[in-house]
Amino acid sequence: MNYMEALTPEEKKAKEKKEKRLKRKQARAEFRKGILAKVNRREILLEKHNCGMLPSDYLTAFDLEGAGFSEDDIIEIGAVKINLKTGETEEFHEMMTPRTRLNKYVTQITGITIDELVGKRRLQEVLPEFFDFVGDSILLGHSIGNNDIVQLNLARQRFKLKGYNFYKYFVDTERMAHRLLDDADPPVIKFGLEPLLQKYGVVLTENHRALADAYASYQLLRIFMKNEGRDGILPQIG
C-alpha cells in the first residue's frame, strides 16, 4: 500500500489542496521573477547618466501602500509628475478598497483604517488612470525596482489590463544609496527612506503614506545628485 492509499478521503483532499496551493505559489514566484528581469533592464543609473539625453522631460515620483496580505493588493497610490525643464508639478492620489483585507500592521504604520477605504473604487478601476497619468515619464521611487513596479505589473496581469505597458525607465533611490553609500561598516542591507533623509538633516513630517513618500524620494534624489556635483538637472519643487 502506498502513502496516498493509506490516507483517508479527507486527508487526500487536504493534501491535494495543499499541493495545488504550493504549485500556484511557485508559479507566482516564477512569474514575478520574469517581471523583475524585464523591470531591471529599464533602470537608469542617474548619477552616471548623460542627463542631457534622458528618455523623457518628465519624472514621476510615486509610492504605493498595500493591504498587507497580497503584494498586488494596493490600497493607495501617490505620485507627483515633475517637468524637468520648468519644475511644474502635477499630483495623482487615490485610495482603493482592498481586494483581500487590511492588515492591522499596515494600519499601525500608515494610519490607514478600513473606514477610509470602504466605498472607494477598486484597484482595477484606478490603474488605467494612473498609467495614463504616468505616460512616457521616467519613474522615480524608493525601492520601486524590486517592489512597486513589480507589484503594479502583477496587478496589471491579474486584471488583464491589455494595452498598458508598465515597463518604464526608472530611477530607484534605494539602489542608488547602495551604489553611493556601500562603504558603510557594518554594511547596510536595506536603506530606509526616512533614515537616509535624516542622515542629511531632513525630518519627514509624514511618512509611510504614498504621496508624502513620493515627494520624499524626489527630495532624496536631489540630495544624492547634489553630492555628486550634478544638482543642476533637477529643479526645486514646492
Side-chain angles (χ1 to χ4, degrees):
M1 181 182 293
N2 63 36
Y3 170 68
M4 285 298 289
E5 289 175 344
L7 297 177
T8 66
E10 291 76 14
E11 289 172 332
K12 285 183 181 180
K13 187 175 181 180
K15 179 177 173 57
E16 290 170 356
K17 186 176 180 180
K18 183 177 180 180
E19 289 174 347
K20 287 181 180 179
R21 187 163 57 244
L22 179 60
K23 286 181 180 179
R24 286 197 300 268
K25 185 176 180 180
Q26 291 172 338
R28 191 77 167 166
E30 283 301 309
F31 183 67
R32 191 189 197 283
K33 186 177 178 181
I35 289 176
L36 183 58
K38 290 181 181 179
V39 168
N40 285 338
R41 290 197 287 268
R42 309 289 280 181
E43 183 175 9
I44 297 174
L45 309 185
L46 195 60
E47 72 277 15
K48 301 176 182 179
H49 196 81
N50 180 349
C51 295
M53 299 182 65
L54 289 174
S56 175
D57 290 334
Y58 291 87
L59 186 74
T60 298
F62 81 101
D63 186 58
L64 310 175
E65 300 297 341
F69 290 103
S70 176
E71 68 173 323
D72 64 352
D73 191 7
I74 300 161
I75 58 172
E76 185 179 32
I77 303 175
V80 54
K81 182 189 284 188
I82 302 145
N83 184 322
L84 296 176
K85 300 294 185 183
T86 66
E88 294 176 312
T89 61
E90 183 181 357
E91 290 184 356
F92 181 98
H93 181 246
E94 289 286 343
M95 300 182 75
M96 289 75 66
T97 298
R99 190 185 76 251
T100 56
R101 62 190 191 280
L102 183 62
N103 193 314
K104 291 180 181 178
Y105 177 70
V106 172
T107 297
Q108 289 174 3
I109 65 172
T110 67
I112 298 172
T113 66
I114 191 62
D115 289 342
E116 294 179 75
L117 304 177
V118 171
K120 299 294 185 181
R121 291 187 296 165
R122 298 285 183 178
L123 178 60
Q124 58 265 42
E125 300 174 71
V126 174
L127 277 181
E129 295 177 9
F130 176 62
F131 292 158
D132 288 340
F133 173 83
V134 170
D136 293 326
S137 61
I138 302 164
L139 298 173
L140 166 68
H142 199 73
S143 199
I144 60 171
N146 295 330
N147 296 298
D148 304 59
I149 300 175
V150 175
Q151 291 160 9
L152 286 166
N153 276 292
L154 287 170
R156 182 176 63 88
Q157 172 70 15
R158 177 183 293 278
F159 300 124
K160 297 178 173 56
L161 297 177
K162 297 179 180 179
Y164 289 97
N165 170 20
F166 207 66
Y167 295 108
K168 307 289 185 183
Y169 287 106
F170 73 97
V171 178
D172 189 324
T173 49
E174 206 272 334
R175 292 185 181 185
M176 186 181 286
H178 279 287
R179 295 194 297 270
L180 300 179
L181 305 173
D182 254 356
D183 56 349
D185 186 20
V188 177
I189 297 175
K190 182 176 181 179
F191 287 95
L193 179 58
E194 184 179 13
L196 277 170
L197 285 168
Q198 288 177 345
K199 171 182 171 67
Y200 296 108
V202 178
V203 178
L204 297 179
T205 56
E206 183 182 20
N207 66 316
H208 293 300
R209 290 304 300 266
L211 189 57
D213 284 357
Y215 276 99
S217 66
Y218 183 73
Q219 192 171 13
L220 179 61
L221 179 63
R222 291 190 80 248
I223 291 170
F224 281 160
M225 295 299 283
K226 181 177 181 180
N227 290 346
E228 293 297 301
R230 310 188 72 192
D231 54 320
I233 68 164
L234 298 173
Q236 174 73 46
I237 62 175

Coordinates of all heavy atoms in Angstrom, one line a residue, residues 167-211:
Y167 N 6.5 48.7 -18.1 CA 8.0 48.5 -18.0 C 8.6 49.8 -18.5 O 9.1 50.0 -19.6 CB 8.4 47.4 -18.9 CG 7.8 46.1 -18.4 CD1 6.8 45.4 -19.1 CD2 8.3 45.5 -17.2 CE1 6.3 44.2 -18.6 CE2 7.8 44.3 -16.7 CZ 6.8 43.7 -17.4 OH 6.2 42.5 -17.0
K168 N 8.7 50.8 -17.5 CA 9.2 52.1 -17.8 C 10.6 52.3 -17.4 O 11.1 51.6 -16.5 CB 8.3 53.2 -17.0 CG 6.8 53.1 -17.2 CD 6.4 53.5 -18.6 CE 4.9 53.5 -18.8 NZ 4.5 53.9 -20.1
Y169 N 11.3 53.3 -18.0 CA 12.6 53.7 -17.4 C 12.4 54.2 -16.0 O 11.4 54.9 -15.7 CB 13.2 54.8 -18.3 CG 13.7 54.3 -19.6 CD1 13.0 54.6 -20.8 CD2 14.9 53.6 -19.7 CE1 13.5 54.2 -22.0 CE2 15.3 53.1 -20.9 CZ 14.6 53.4 -22.1 OH 15.1 53.0 -23.3
F170 N 13.3 53.9 -15.1 CA 13.1 54.3 -13.7 C 14.4 54.6 -13.0 O 15.5 54.1 -13.4 CB 12.3 53.2 -12.9 CG 13.1 51.9 -12.6 CD1 13.8 51.8 -11.4 CD2 13.3 50.9 -13.6 CE1 14.5 50.6 -11.1 CE2 14.0 49.8 -13.3 CZ 14.6 49.6 -12.1
V171 N 14.3 55.3 -11.9 CA 15.4 55.6 -11.0 C 15.0 55.2 -9.6 O 13.9 55.6 -9.2 CB 15.7 57.1 -11.0 CG1 16.9 57.4 -10.0 CG2 16.1 57.6 -12.4
D172 N 15.8 54.4 -9.0 CA 15.5 53.8 -7.7 C 16.5 54.4 -6.6 O 17.7 54.1 -6.7 CB 15.6 52.3 -7.7 CG 15.1 51.6 -6.5 OD1 15.3 52.1 -5.4 OD2 14.5 50.5 -6.6
T173 N 16.0 55.2 -5.7 CA 16.9 55.8 -4.7 C 17.4 54.8 -3.7 O 18.5 55.1 -3.2 CB 16.1 57.0 -4.0 OG1 14.9 56.5 -3.5 CG2 15.9 58.2 -4.9
E174 N 16.8 53.7 -3.5 CA 17.3 52.7 -2.6 C 18.5 52.0 -3.2 O 19.6 51.8 -2.6 CB 16.3 51.7 -2.2 CG 16.5 51.0 -0.8 CD 17.3 49.8 -0.9 OE1 17.4 49.2 -2.0 OE2 18.0 49.4 0.1
R175 N 18.4 51.7 -4.5 CA 19.5 51.1 -5.2 C 20.6 52.1 -5.3 O 21.8 51.7 -5.2 CB 19.0 50.6 -6.6 CG 18.1 49.4 -6.5 CD 17.8 49.0 -7.9 NE 16.8 47.9 -8.0 CZ 16.5 47.2 -9.1 NH1 17.0 47.6 -10.2 NH2 15.6 46.2 -9.0
M176 N 20.3 53.4 -5.6 CA 21.3 54.4 -5.7 C 22.1 54.5 -4.4 O 23.3 54.7 -4.4 CB 20.7 55.7 -6.1 CG 21.7 56.8 -6.4 SD 20.9 58.4 -6.8 CE 20.4 58.1 -8.5
A177 N 21.4 54.4 -3.3 CA 22.0 54.5 -2.0 C 23.1 53.4 -1.8 O 24.2 53.7 -1.3 CB 21.0 54.4 -0.9
H178 N 22.8 52.2 -2.3 CA 23.8 51.2 -2.2 C 25.0 51.5 -3.1 O 26.1 51.2 -2.7 CB 23.1 49.8 -2.7 CG 22.3 49.2 -1.6 ND1 22.9 48.5 -0.5 CD2 21.0 49.0 -1.4 CE1 22.0 48.0 0.3 NE2 20.8 48.3 -0.3
R179 N 24.8 52.1 -4.2 CA 25.9 52.4 -5.1 C 26.8 53.5 -4.5 O 28.0 53.5 -4.7 CB 25.4 52.8 -6.5 CG 24.7 51.6 -7.2 CD 24.5 52.0 -8.7 NE 23.7 53.1 -8.9 CZ 22.4 53.1 -9.1 NH1 21.7 51.9 -9.0 NH2 21.6 54.1 -9.3
L180 N 26.1 54.4 -3.8 CA 26.9 55.6 -3.4 C 27.4 55.5 -1.9 O 28.3 56.1 -1.5 CB 26.0 56.9 -3.5 CG 25.5 57.2 -4.9 CD1 24.6 58.5 -4.8 CD2 26.7 57.5 -5.8
L181 N 26.7 54.6 -1.1 CA 27.0 54.6 0.3 C 27.4 53.2 0.8 O 27.4 53.0 2.0 CB 25.8 55.1 1.1 CG 25.2 56.5 0.7 CD1 23.9 56.7 1.5 CD2 26.2 57.6 1.0
D182 N 27.7 52.3 0.0 CA 28.0 51.0 0.4 C 29.4 50.8 1.1 O 29.8 49.7 1.3 CB 27.9 50.0 -0.7 CG 26.6 49.1 -0.6 OD1 25.9 49.3 0.4 OD2 26.3 48.3 -1.5
D183 N 30.0 51.9 1.5 CA 31.2 51.8 2.2 C 30.9 51.8 3.7 O 31.8 51.8 4.6 CB 32.2 52.9 1.9 CG 31.5 54.3 2.2 OD1 30.3 54.4 2.3 OD2 32.3 55.3 2.1
A184 N 29.6 51.7 4.1 CA 29.2 51.7 5.5 C 29.8 50.5 6.2 O 29.8 49.4 5.6 CB 27.7 51.8 5.6
D185 N 30.1 50.6 7.5 CA 30.6 49.5 8.2 C 29.9 49.5 9.6 O 30.0 50.4 10.4 CB 32.1 49.6 8.5 CG 32.7 48.4 9.2 OD1 32.1 47.3 9.1 OD2 33.8 48.5 9.8
P186 N 29.0 48.5 9.8 CA 28.8 47.3 9.0 C 28.0 47.6 7.8 O 27.3 48.6 7.8 CB 28.1 46.3 9.9 CG 27.4 47.2 10.9 CD 28.3 48.4 11.1
P187 N 28.0 46.8 6.7 CA 27.3 47.0 5.5 C 25.8 47.1 5.8 O 25.2 46.4 6.7 CB 27.6 45.8 4.6 CG 28.8 45.3 5.2 CD 28.8 45.5 6.7
V188 N 25.1 48.0 5.1 CA 23.7 48.2 5.3 C 22.9 47.3 4.3 O 23.2 47.3 3.1 CB 23.2 49.7 5.0 CG1 21.7 49.8 5.1 CG2 24.0 50.6 6.0
I189 N 22.0 46.4 4.8 CA 21.3 45.5 4.0 C 20.2 46.3 3.2 O 20.0 46.0 2.0 CB 20.6 44.4 4.8 CG1 21.7 43.6 5.5 CG2 19.7 43.5 4.0 CD1 21.2 42.5 6.5
K190 N 19.5 47.2 3.9 CA 18.4 47.9 3.2 C 18.4 49.4 3.7 O 18.4 49.6 4.9 CB 17.1 47.3 3.4 CG 15.9 48.0 2.7 CD 14.6 47.3 2.9 CE 13.5 48.1 2.1 NZ 12.2 47.4 2.2
F191 N 18.5 50.3 2.8 CA 18.5 51.7 3.2 C 17.0 52.2 3.2 O 16.3 52.3 2.2 CB 19.2 52.6 2.2 CG 20.7 52.4 2.3 CD1 21.4 51.5 1.5 CD2 21.5 53.2 3.2 CE1 22.8 51.4 1.5 CE2 22.8 53.1 3.3 CZ 23.5 52.2 2.5
G192 N 16.5 52.6 4.4 CA 15.2 53.1 4.5 C 15.1 54.5 4.1 O 16.1 55.3 4.2
L193 N 14.0 55.0 3.6 CA 13.9 56.3 3.1 C 14.0 57.4 4.2 O 14.8 58.3 4.1 CB 12.5 56.5 2.4 CG 12.1 57.9 1.8 CD1 13.2 58.3 0.8 CD2 10.8 57.8 1.2
E194 N 13.3 57.2 5.3 CA 13.3 58.1 6.4 C 14.7 58.2 7.0 O 15.2 59.3 7.2 CB 12.3 57.7 7.4 CG 12.2 58.8 8.6 CD 11.1 58.4 9.6 OE1 10.6 57.3 9.6 OE2 10.8 59.3 10.4
P195 N 15.4 57.1 7.3 CA 16.7 57.2 7.9 C 17.7 57.9 7.0 O 18.6 58.6 7.4 CB 17.1 55.7 8.2 CG 15.9 55.0 8.3 CD 14.9 55.7 7.4
L196 N 17.6 57.7 5.7 CA 18.5 58.3 4.7 C 18.3 59.8 4.7 O 19.3 60.6 4.8 CB 18.3 57.8 3.3 CG 19.0 56.5 2.9 CD1 18.4 56.0 1.6 CD2 20.5 56.6 2.9
L197 N 17.1 60.3 4.7 CA 16.8 61.7 4.8 C 17.3 62.3 6.1 O 17.8 63.4 6.1 CB 15.3 62.0 4.6 CG 14.9 61.8 3.1 CD1 13.4 61.8 3.0 CD2 15.5 62.9 2.2
Q198 N 17.1 61.6 7.2 CA 17.6 62.1 8.5 C 19.1 62.2 8.5 O 19.6 63.1 9.1 CB 17.1 61.1 9.6 CG 15.7 61.2 9.9 CD 15.2 60.2 11.0 OE1 16.0 59.2 11.3 NE2 14.0 60.3 11.5
K199 N 19.8 61.3 7.8 CA 21.2 61.4 7.7 C 21.7 62.7 7.1 O 22.7 63.3 7.4 CB 21.7 60.3 6.8 CG 23.2 60.3 6.4 CD 23.5 59.1 5.4 CE 24.9 59.3 4.8 NZ 26.0 59.1 5.8
Y200 N 20.8 63.3 6.2 CA 21.1 64.6 5.6 C 20.4 65.7 6.2 O 20.3 66.8 5.6 CB 20.8 64.5 4.1 CG 21.7 63.5 3.4 CD1 21.2 62.3 2.9 CD2 23.1 63.7 3.2 CE1 22.0 61.3 2.3 CE2 23.9 62.8 2.5 CZ 23.3 61.6 2.1 OH 24.1 60.6 1.5
G201 N 19.9 65.5 7.4 CA 19.2 66.6 8.2 C 17.8 66.9 7.8 O 17.3 68.0 8.2
V202 N 17.1 66.0 7.1 CA 15.8 66.2 6.6 C 14.9 65.4 7.5 O 15.0 64.2 7.5 CB 15.6 65.9 5.2 CG1 14.1 66.1 4.8 CG2 16.5 66.7 4.3
V203 N 13.9 66.0 8.2 CA 12.9 65.3 9.0 C 11.6 65.3 8.3 O 11.0 66.3 8.0 CB 12.8 65.9 10.4 CG1 11.8 65.2 11.3 CG2 14.2 65.9 11.1
L204 N 11.1 64.1 8.1 CA 9.8 64.0 7.5 C 8.6 64.2 8.5 O 8.7 63.7 9.6 CB 9.6 62.6 6.9 CG 10.5 62.2 5.7 CD1 10.2 60.7 5.3 CD2 10.4 63.1 4.6
T205 N 7.7 65.0 8.1 CA 6.5 65.3 8.9 C 5.5 64.2 8.8 O 4.6 64.0 9.6 CB 5.9 66.7 8.6 OG1 5.5 66.7 7.2 CG2 6.9 67.8 8.9
E206 N 5.5 63.5 7.7 CA 4.6 62.4 7.4 C 5.3 61.4 6.6 O 6.0 61.7 5.6 CB 3.4 62.9 6.6 CG 2.3 61.8 6.4 CD 1.1 62.3 5.6 OE1 1.3 63.3 4.9 OE2 0.1 61.7 5.6
N207 N 5.3 60.1 7.0 CA 5.9 59.0 6.2 C 5.0 57.8 6.2 O 4.0 57.7 7.0 CB 7.3 58.7 6.7 CG 7.3 58.1 8.1 OD1 6.6 58.5 9.0 ND2 8.1 57.1 8.3
H208 N 5.4 56.9 5.4 CA 4.5 55.7 5.2 C 3.2 56.0 4.6 O 2.2 55.3 4.9 CB 4.4 54.8 6.5 CG 5.7 54.2 6.9 ND1 6.4 53.4 6.1 CD2 6.4 54.4 8.0 CE1 7.5 53.0 6.8 NE2 7.5 53.6 7.9
R209 N 3.1 57.1 3.9 CA 1.9 57.5 3.1 C 2.4 57.8 1.7 O 3.5 58.4 1.5 CB 1.2 58.7 3.7 CG 0.5 58.4 5.0 CD -0.5 57.2 4.9 NE -1.6 57.4 4.0 CZ -2.8 57.9 4.3 NH1 -3.0 58.2 5.5 NH2 -3.7 58.0 3.3
A210 N 1.7 57.3 0.7 CA 2.1 57.2 -0.6 C 2.6 58.6 -1.2 O 3.7 58.7 -1.7 CB 1.1 56.6 -1.5
L211 N 1.8 59.6 -1.1 CA 2.1 60.9 -1.7 C 3.3 61.5 -1.0 O 4.2 62.1 -1.7 CB 0.9 61.8 -1.7 CG 1.1 63.1 -2.5 CD1 1.4 62.8 -4.0 CD2 -0.2 63.9 -2.5

